[in-house]
Amino acid sequence: MLAQIKSTAEFIKAETSNFAPEVGIILGTGLGGLVKEIEIKYELPYDKIPNFPVSTVEGHSGRLIFGILGGKNVVAMQGRFHYYEGYDMKQVTFPVRVLKYLDIKRLFVSNASGGVNPNFEIGDLMIINDHINFFPEHPLRGRNDNQLGTRFPDMSDAYNREYIDKAHAIGKELGYKLQEGVYAGVSGPTFETPAEYKFFFIAGSDAVGMSTVPEVIVARHMKIPVFAISIITDLGVPGKIVEVTHEEVQQVAAKAEEKMTKIMTKLIAEL
Ligand code: HPA
């Protein structure tokens, strides 16, 4: 795998005149609007990048964007690879491996999720401070390459505390209400049954979604510090559960994305 990662990174460097991103950003469902704030220098569609899987889901256009955001060089993944699309976990997380070999120093991740904490409201932003991995396949299962990371990676500080504290300070400054909590990662593609939402809450999570956990595990395997934020697009809370559609998830995410974009941009600028 390392040879593939390196050759993909070399391809990208050649295509972008060795543009050196300091921050990697993974944009979730309906959150591609952050791209409008990036002073774009280069764009690479995923289908032009050797060894990259090709994104299929509606609302995910699928390209790497290189440019400047908050005064820093960034590379943004517009569109990610989800396990429910049929990719295996090595494919889902391959781009994060490549970002490491483009030499990013931190990874920012966004997603949409269903809130199971009864204090949450639709449209809330939740800073992720921990996760529970409910995916049926682990991205690090199989032979470990010690050049990428250790066999048994520590997960005690998967979500960087300094970044979380800074994000809260920025939220305060901007007058935004910010939630903080635990994200449960599930395979999807079904949304949860009421009993499942209840289970995830009792199990210790505040929100549940179909991404992020694999990418964060792989980032931490390679010791990349992570900041992640989730938009609560629907509620899995007793008495508040209604039918959910992907379109509604996208609409709520689109409404909340301006706030998310501001927080991300300011945080990138300040780190
Ligand atoms: N469950 C799982 N994934 C999601 C949800 C949800 O309720 N909302 C957005 N992504």
Side-chain angles (χ1 to χ4, degrees):
M1 183 170 58
L2 187 56
Q4 270 192 359
I5 298 164
K6 283 183 175 168
S7 88
T8 302
E10 287 312 312
F11 170 88
I12 292 170
K13 283 180 191 170
E15 291 288 313
T16 57
S17 313
N18 284 316
F19 184 87
E22 183 179 328
V23 185
I25 306 170
I26 304 178
L27 296 168
T29 304
L31 301 170
L34 180 121
V35 168
K36 287 188 226 115
E37 302 301 316
I38 301 176
E39 187 190 318
I40 298 177
K41 302 286 185 192
Y42 303 94
E43 286 185 32
L44 290 177
Y46 292 159
D47 59 6
K48 298 271 158 39
I49 304 175
N51 305 316
F52 250 55
V54 176
S55 187
T56 57
V57 173
E58 252 179 88
H60 298 259
S61 33
R63 55 193 178 133
L64 278 188
I65 293 159
F66 296 82
I68 298 166
L69 181 70
K72 305 275 165 66
N73 281 6
V74 303
V75 52
M77 287 182 65
Q78 192 176 31
R80 56 147 64 89
F81 302 99
H82 295 90
Y83 185 70
Y84 62 72
E85 293 176 81
Y87 305 110
D88 66 36
M89 282 301 189
K90 296 280 186 290
Q91 293 174 300
V92 167
T93 57
F94 183 78
V96 180
R97 298 287 189 198
V98 172
L99 295 188
K100 167 73 184 176
Y101 280 81
L102 296 177
D103 214 19
I104 63 163
K105 305 295 182 226
R106 42 192 143 262
L107 180 67
F108 281 43
V109 186
S110 67
N111 64 46
S113 66
V116 295
N117 182 323
N119 299 323
F120 286 6
E121 288 172 43
I122 289 176
D124 277 356
L125 291 173
M126 183 187 90
I127 299 172
I128 301 175
N129 64 15
D130 205 345
H131 73 222
I132 308 178
N133 182 13
F134 281 108
F135 283 94
E137 188 192 331
H138 198 287
L140 303 181
R141 195 173 84 90
R143 197 180 66 82
N144 186 61
D145 187 334
N146 289 315
Q147 288 173 270
L148 291 172
T150 180
R151 170 72 290 185
F152 300 108
D154 174 70
M155 282 285 146
S156 63
D157 64 342
Y159 300 84
N160 186 284
R161 203 3 93 177
E162 181 200 339
Y163 300 177
I164 294 173
D165 291 345
K166 276 218 158 80
H168 278 300
I170 290 166
K172 220 174 195 173
E173 221 178 280
L174 295 170
Y176 296 167
K177 171 175 99 174
L178 289 180
Q179 306 282 10
E180 184 183 320
V182 176
Y183 176 92
V186 297
S187 79
T190 45
F191 293 111
E192 287 62 39
T193 64
E196 286 167 343
Y197 282 126
K198 185 176 171 189
F199 166 79
F200 289 120
F201 180 60
I202 292 169
S205 31
D206 299 289
V208 53
M210 306 175 197
S211 68
T212 301
V213 168
E215 293 117 316
V216 171
I217 288 173
V218 164
R220 296 304 298 143
H221 184 231
M222 299 182 294
K223 299 257 188 224
I224 305 171
V226 171
F227 175 77
I229 191 161
S230 189
I231 295 180
I232 306 298
T233 56
D234 51 275
L235 291 175
V237 173
K240 294 189 181 166
I241 298 174
V242 293
E243 194 180 321
V244 197
T245 65
H246 183 59
E247 288 67 35
E248 281 162 356
V249 165
Q250 285 177 305
Q251 278 166 16
V252 176
K255 269 196 215 152
E257 85 169 337
E258 191 186 323
K259 286 184 180 174
M260 193 211 68
T261 298
K262 285 219 169 96
I263 291 167
M264 289 259 205
T265 306
K266 271 188 160 281
L267 191 54
I268 287 169
E270 288 181 18
L271 288 174

